[in-house]
């Protein structure tokens, strides 16, 4: 389309009598009255036949006549107009001519909104086509951002997948080259984009694609905003304190601080607890328990116990029982290790943990009356270390076995059974260290 023709259309839009009324009635065919109807019908046949044969140049002139004389004829004239000017853009490598066709393509979107009131139907495509044509033009970046912002406003979670990365790319390019976006404004748009991704993931829409978008969008963000621990603390922390039930904000804080390796910050832990409260899952319960362990064992135990209830995997259950065992002593700890083995018999380290319990119980359990009976704790410990495959501790335990002289003195025989006293209550076999 020549620039003079485009200007003619622009002037027509400005002065047309219908311009002041936005109609959403383009579903029906509104033919002009009188002799104009026959001409309109003829032009419609001419351009649609040409379009059907991919003769975009031949379709242009009769289509333009309809735009000028019957702009509210039907939505089809704008849908087909889009096809015509996309086809013309692809038919030439001349950048100046492509720009002319692109201007006409944008006019199709503008006129469709003006005469048919169908902004939601075209806004995403307009933003995307503008991005494809002008992504490298700094002067066009603000307009592109405005289009994408408007698309999100209208489409929300229904935003088409193919504009997710272009939208974030436009945000980044505005930040880098136009330099009028504050960090808060960048994050606001990042939030919008991530909310669309999270929605689609929650809906189970092609997880692989949306998960890849998530990591790519995160990567784009950190290219323009230094999302370190201080940033999260100073910018997101106050918001979280004001609205601790904001799950999306909690996830953002948790993810940023995890990536920033600032999981020792209390804010990370509080965000994690909120996520676990709203959307409980095994992995997070486990990690929160590990973080609390040693500092608040009572609370850590609650999360490890919750983690057990959130998994059907035997190995995961066993791991949590082992963690619970490490926070207890004596028979209570052994009970947890035995539950670990009941959940998953392959967790041989649980036998080793019981072995350490027995090995370390000598001072508390020794009655100081019968050295063989007192040293039987090491015999029981050896048995557990053997089951665990821990040869080093087997040797250490053996070095603490009673001697041949001691079993003779206390009237025992090697190979005989002996019951370990105290809380242990295990029956084992008498052996000597020499």
């Amino acid at each position: 389309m020549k620039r003079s023709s485009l200007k003619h259309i622009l002037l027509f839009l400005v002065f047309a009598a219908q311009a002041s009324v936005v109609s959403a009635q383009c579903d029906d065919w509104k033919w002009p009255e009188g002799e104009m109807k026959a001409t309109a019908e003829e032009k419609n046949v001419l351009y649609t036949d040409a379009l059907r044969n991919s003769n975009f140049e031949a379709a242009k002139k009769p289509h333009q006549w309809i735009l000028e004389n019957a702009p509210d004829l039907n939505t089809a004239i704008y849908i087909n107009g889009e096809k015509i000017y996309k086809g013309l853009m692809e038919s030439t490598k001349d950048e100046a001519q492509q720009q002319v066709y692109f201007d006409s393509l944008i006019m199709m979107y503008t006129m469709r909104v003006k005469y048919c009131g169908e902004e939601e139907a075209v806004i995403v495509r307009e933003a995307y086509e503008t991005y494809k044509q002008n992504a490298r033009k700094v002067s066009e970046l603000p307009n592109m951002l405005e289009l994408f912002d408007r698309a999100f406003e209208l489409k929300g979670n229904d935003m088409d997948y193919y504009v997710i990365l272009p939208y974030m790319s436009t945000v980044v390019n505005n930040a880098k080259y136009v330099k009028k976006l504050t960090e808060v404004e960048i994050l606001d748009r990042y939030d919008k984009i991530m909310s669309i991704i999270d929605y689609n993931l929650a809906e189970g829409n092609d997880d692989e694609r949306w998960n890849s978008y998530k990591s790519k969008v995160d990567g784009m963000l950190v290219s323009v905003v230094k999302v370190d621990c201080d940033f999260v603390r100073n910018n997101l922390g106050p918001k979280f304190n004001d609205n601790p039930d904001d799950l999306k904000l909690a996830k953002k804080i948790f993810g940023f601080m995890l990536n920033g390796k600032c999981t020792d910050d209390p804010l990370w832990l509080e965000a994690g607890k909120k996520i676990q409260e709203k959307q409980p899952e095994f992995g997070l319960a486990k990690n929160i328990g590990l973080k609390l362990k040693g500092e608040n064992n009572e609370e850590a135990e609650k999360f490890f116990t919750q983690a057990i209830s959130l998994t059907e995997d035997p190995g995961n259950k066993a791991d949590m029982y082992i963690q619970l065992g490490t926070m207890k002593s004596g028979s209570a700890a052994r009970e947890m290790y035995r539950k670990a083995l009941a959940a998953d018999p392959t967790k041989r380290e649980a036998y080793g943990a019981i072995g350490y319990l027995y090995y370390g119980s000598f001072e508390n359990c020794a009655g100081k009356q019968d050295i063989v009976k007192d040293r039987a704790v090491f015999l029981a410990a050896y048995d557990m270390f053997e089951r665990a495959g821990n040869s080093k501790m087997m040797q250490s335990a053996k070095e603490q076995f009673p001697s041949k002289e001691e079993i003779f003195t206390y009237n025992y025989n090697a190979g005989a059974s002996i019951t370990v006293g105290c809380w242990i209550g295990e029956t084992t076999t008498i052996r000597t260290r020499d």
Side-chain angles (χ1 to χ4, degrees), residues 72 118 238 246 325:
D72 60 349
E118 297 175 350
D246 188 335

Side-chain angles (χ1 to χ4, degrees), residues 21-76:
V21 180
V22 175
S23 172
Q25 303 299 316
C26 287
D27 290 340
D28 297 325
W29 288 86
K30 296 182 179 179
W31 298 101
E33 297 180 357
E35 296 181 359
M36 290 276 287
K37 180 180 180 182
T39 305
E41 289 175 338
E42 178 187 0
K43 300 295 185 183
N44 190 63
V45 170
L46 287 172
Y47 98 78
T48 53
D49 282 348
L51 178 60
R52 191 177 299 112
N53 293 311
S54 298
N55 191 344
F56 305 113
E57 185 63 39
K60 186 176 61 172
K61 189 173 182 180
H63 181 263
Q64 182 180 331
W65 186 95
I66 291 177
L67 292 178
E68 293 178 359
N69 295 279
D72 60 349
L73 178 62
N74 188 272
T75 302

Side-chain angles (χ1 to χ4, degrees), residues 13-14 18-23 109-118:
L13 285 172
V14 173
Q18 299 98 322
S20 62
V21 180
V22 175
S23 172
Y109 299 136
T110 302
M111 292 182 71
R112 182 172 174 180
V113 173
K114 191 172 202 61
Y115 290 100
C116 301
E118 297 175 350

Side-chain angles (χ1 to χ4, degrees), residues 261-272:
K261 298 179 180 179
C262 38
T263 57
D264 289 333
D265 194 296
L267 179 60
W268 179 83
L269 188 59
E270 289 306 310

Side-chain angles (χ1 to χ4, degrees), residues 16 18-19 38-39 76 80 166 171 250 262 309 320 339 342 349 403 412 416 422:
Q18 299 98 322
T39 305
N80 289 331
V171 174
C262 38
S309 70
M320 294 302 94
K339 284 185 175 182
E349 61 265 37
S403 65
Y412 290 98
C422 199

Side-chain angles (χ1 to χ4, degrees), residues 54 56 82-94 97-99 101-102 105 128-129 132-133:
S54 298
F56 305 113
E82 182 178 7
K83 295 175 183 177
I84 290 170
Y85 291 106
K86 280 185 178 180
L88 287 167
M89 288 176 68
E90 292 173 1
S91 70
T92 180
K93 293 183 179 180
D94 184 285
Q97 188 61 52
Q98 281 184 343
Q99 185 62 44
Y101 293 144
F102 171 75
L105 173 64
Y128 183 62
E129 294 300 328
K132 287 199 304 180
Q133 181 70 14

